[in-house]
Amino acid sequence: MEVARALEILVIAVTLAVCVVTDVRRRVIPNRCVIVVVVVRGVYLLASLRGSATCVSAFVGAVEAATVLMVSARVSQTVFGTQGVGGGDVKLVSALGLCFGAVWTPVLIVLMSAFILVAQCGHVVRCGRAGWRCTLERAVPAAPAIALAAAATWGLSLYMEKL
């Protein structure tokens, strides 16, 4: 793996760690973290002189992520009466869509959804039926699931590149 790519992944990993801590503590994903991911990815794409196909794939990945998460937020609001997906989650996953592109963003979304589902089921088991009613204080933070899904997706994509 080239040095620039390793540096990009390292900076984004540290940024995701900050997101996890703030989301667990305050149920907020800072906009600054999202901006860092977007800027780091943009600089990497420019510095590595990737072709326009890579830039288009990155843009499509971001749009895929934003669309799926915004629809999920709307469905959650309609069905459960609460917003299960916050704006910070949408922005962070969309920014990660820039990193993974059109091919790997669906993998990120599926893994993230699975991890969130497991966390929500654990929350319901712990809290009983009332666990489905989500308040800000009892909400299951999504940043840990997003970070775990991003790490798994990056691992899979790097492994597949070597094949």
Side-chain angles (χ1 to χ4, degrees):
M1 179 173 21
E2 62 191 57
V3 174
R5 182 127 189 238
L7 187 58
E8 174 198 22
I9 292 171
L10 177 65
V11 170
I12 291 173
V14 169
T15 304
L16 286 172
V18 170
C19 289
V20 168
V21 170
T22 56
D23 198 24
V24 167
R25 287 185 181 168
R26 300 181 309 151
R27 303 299 191 266
V28 172
I29 295 176
N31 286 334
R32 283 175 266 157
C33 291
V34 175
I35 291 168
V36 167
V37 172
V38 171
V39 168
V40 166
R41 183 59 179 170
V43 167
Y44 174 77
L45 287 172
L46 290 173
S48 63
L49 299 175
R50 298 286 178 180
S52 63
T54 303
C55 292
V56 169
S57 176
F59 179 73
V60 170
V63 171
E64 286 173 345
T67 302
V68 169
L69 267 69
M70 285 190 292
V71 168
S72 298
R74 187 67 176 146
V75 168
S76 174
Q77 182 73 34
T78 302
V79 173
F80 299 111
T82 62
Q83 187 178 4
V85 180
D89 303 331
V90 173
K91 290 183 276 188
L92 181 60
V93 175
S94 298
L96 289 172
L98 282 173
C99 300
F100 292 114
V103 174
W104 288 101
T105 296
V107 174
L108 171 72
I109 292 169
V110 167
L111 289 173
M112 177 199 66
S113 300
F115 296 144
I116 289 173
L117 182 61
V118 167
Q120 186 64 44
C121 288
H123 181 67
V124 169
V125 167
R126 190 183 65 197
C127 297
R129 286 183 53 111
W132 285 112
R133 291 193 199 100
C134 209
T135 63
L136 186 60
E137 296 80 33
R138 294 188 307 177
V140 175
I146 294 169
L148 191 57
T153 304
W154 244 308
L156 285 170
S157 68
L158 292 173
Y159 175 75
M160 294 303 287
E161 281 179 12
K162 292 185 181 202
L163 291 181

